[in-house]
Amino acid sequence: AEPVTDPVQKTIARKVADFVAMIRALSLARNDKGLYDFGMEIASRSGIIAAYRTENTPEAASALDNIGFTDFTLRINDRRLLTDMIKSAGFGDDDVMPVCIIFDKLDKIGLDGVKDELLGKGYAAEKVEKFIAVISAADDEESALAAAEGFASDASVVEKMRQVLRFAREIAYGRFNVVYDKSLVRGMGYYTGMVFEIVSPKFGSSVAGGGRYDNMIGKFTGESVPAVGFSIGFERICAILQEEGFVPPRGERVILVY
């Protein structure tokens, strides 16, 4: 699931001159697989509210929790940390996106497959081995974040990650899992900061995801406007809930006859 970003951002771009603090857009549209996604995107010219909303990426998890969807995991990463991790292995700026594209296949082809594809693209074996060693290290969360502090170009990004993880667990109350996943890529190249994904063993893949992207509106207006958003695989969620016998709550109905 991806935010229905381009059409929504074009709409926001047309309205950008009319708002000062924040604009929120809700959408329901078919994705590239022909399935319906529900999306929410928020933009803020000041950046303050967009930043606040980025720290509230658990909103998507809360939405699922509120309709009785359980047993899922909220995975969180930051594209800036991922970029720094790749560069710490010796890759250059121009290599980051191609490496991300290959690395994004990790769930499908495994570490060996990622390694083989990187080597097949002609990257130096030394760089590939170092990258694989970093990503395959069986760290606990705090050790992984401590390691990130060693290669992060901005230490505040690591601290923000700790804050978001802490906040997400506070609202989870043990009803769903929250993890820092240094291998999470989210394939879209427009992400500029925190990214997240919600996965369910009942579906076998992600059912929601999103993140921070600050440059999308600028493609249409020339003005950089911070934005964040997520989408939920509407049909996937409905299918899982139906299998579990979920019945939508029904309020009292009143019929007026006159």
Side-chain angles (χ1 to χ4, degrees):
E2 288 289 345
V4 190
T5 305
D6 263 357
V8 174
Q9 295 298 319
K10 287 177 181 176
T11 300
I12 293 176
R14 288 196 294 269
K15 301 291 185 180
V16 71
D18 300 330
F19 75 90
V20 177
M22 182 188 77
I23 186 170
R24 180 172 69 173
L26 303 177
S27 61
L28 182 65
R30 290 188 184 274
N31 59 27
D32 56 3
K33 296 180 181 178
L35 301 175
Y36 277 104
D37 284 344
F38 167 78
M40 182 178 82
E41 308 197 40
I42 297 169
S44 167
R45 294 182 103 174
S46 67
I48 297 175
I49 296 179
Y52 171 77
R53 288 291 182 173
T54 301
E55 295 179 20
N56 280 269
T57 50
E59 284 183 343
S62 291
L64 296 179
D65 182 52
N66 288 338
I67 61 172
F69 192 75
T70 60
D71 192 25
F72 60 86
T73 298
L74 173 61
R75 303 163 60 199
I76 306 176
N77 196 10
D78 195 296
R79 288 296 284 265
R80 292 165 293 184
L81 294 181
L82 179 60
T83 295
D84 289 341
M85 182 174 66
I86 292 171
K87 292 169 71 172
S88 73
F91 292 99
D93 291 338
D94 293 339
D95 300 327
V96 171
M97 205 54 227
V99 171
C100 279
I101 292 172
I102 295 173
F103 188 40
D104 196 32
K105 304 176 186 178
L106 177 64
D107 290 341
K108 296 180 180 178
I109 64 177
L111 275 173
D112 289 339
V114 170
K115 178 180 177 180
D116 290 343
E117 285 207 24
L118 289 172
L119 292 172
K121 291 292 185 180
Y123 292 116
E126 180 182 356
K127 296 179 182 178
V128 174
E129 291 288 353
K130 188 173 181 181
F131 176 65
I132 295 298
V134 172
I135 201 61
S136 61
D139 301 327
D140 59 76
E141 184 172 284
E142 188 49 44
S143 296
L145 289 171
E149 288 176 325
F151 57 70
S153 56
D154 183 353
S156 69
V157 176
V158 181
E159 184 54 35
K160 178 66 68 63
M161 177 63 68
R162 287 192 176 97
Q163 294 172 5
V164 171
L165 291 167
R166 187 162 53 248
F167 174 75
R169 289 180 179 127
E170 286 176 359
I171 68 169
Y173 290 112
R175 295 189 300 269
F176 55 86
N177 300 314
V178 179
V179 298
Y180 163 58
D181 189 344
K182 61 185 177 183
S183 68
L184 179 60
V185 177
R186 297 298 297 171
M188 308 307 288
Y190 52 68
Y191 287 119
T192 58
M194 197 162 291
V195 292
F196 71 96
E197 189 170 88
I198 295 175
V199 294
S200 169
K202 300 172 186 176
F203 192 77
S205 64
S206 67
V207 294
R212 174 81 177 257
Y213 33 92
D214 290 356
N215 301 322
M216 288 293 290
I217 296 175
K219 291 197 310 181
F220 310 111
T221 66
E223 175 187 359
S224 179
V225 178
V228 61
F230 67 83
S231 69
I232 296 175
F234 184 74
E235 292 186 59
R236 300 177 184 179
I237 298 300
C238 289
I240 293 173
L241 290 175
Q242 286 178 342
E243 289 177 3
E244 296 184 341
F246 175 76
V247 178
R250 296 180 181 273
E252 181 181 353
R253 298 182 179 183
V254 177
I255 299 178
L256 299 178
V257 180
Y258 62 94

